[in-house]
Amino acid sequence: MDEYMLTDLQFKYGLRKNLANLERKLELLQNKEYSKLEKEYLKEIADIKITLQD
């Protein structure tokens, strides 16, 4: 089980990446760029569905 655990550095990198992603989406929302935001969400959903099929 230990072989699948993230290091502190990897965990923080993931958090920073998620934070940047959320900030970008919030900016799109605040700028009323709904079609761009929708495209991002649809791409993420499709990527997740593909990953779950494996």
Side-chain angles (χ1 to χ4, degrees):
M1 182 171 185
D2 289 335
E3 64 191 64
Y4 298 109
M5 294 182 69
L6 297 176
T7 65
D8 187 49
L9 187 62
Q10 290 170 320
F11 179 74
K12 286 183 179 181
Y13 173 78
L15 285 178
R16 286 186 191 99
K17 186 176 177 181
N18 287 335
L19 177 60
N21 187 32
L22 289 171
E23 289 173 335
R24 187 183 68 256
K25 288 178 181 173
L26 180 58
E27 186 177 330
L28 289 173
L29 183 62
Q30 290 170 335
N31 292 334
K32 299 180 181 179
E33 297 183 61
Y34 304 123
S35 61
K36 286 183 181 180
L37 185 59
E38 181 183 23
K39 285 179 187 177
E40 283 196 28
Y41 276 117
L42 290 172
K43 182 177 179 343
E44 283 185 49
I45 289 168
D47 290 346
I48 290 170
K49 285 182 177 180
I50 288 170
T51 301
L52 290 174
Q53 289 177 356
D54 292 347

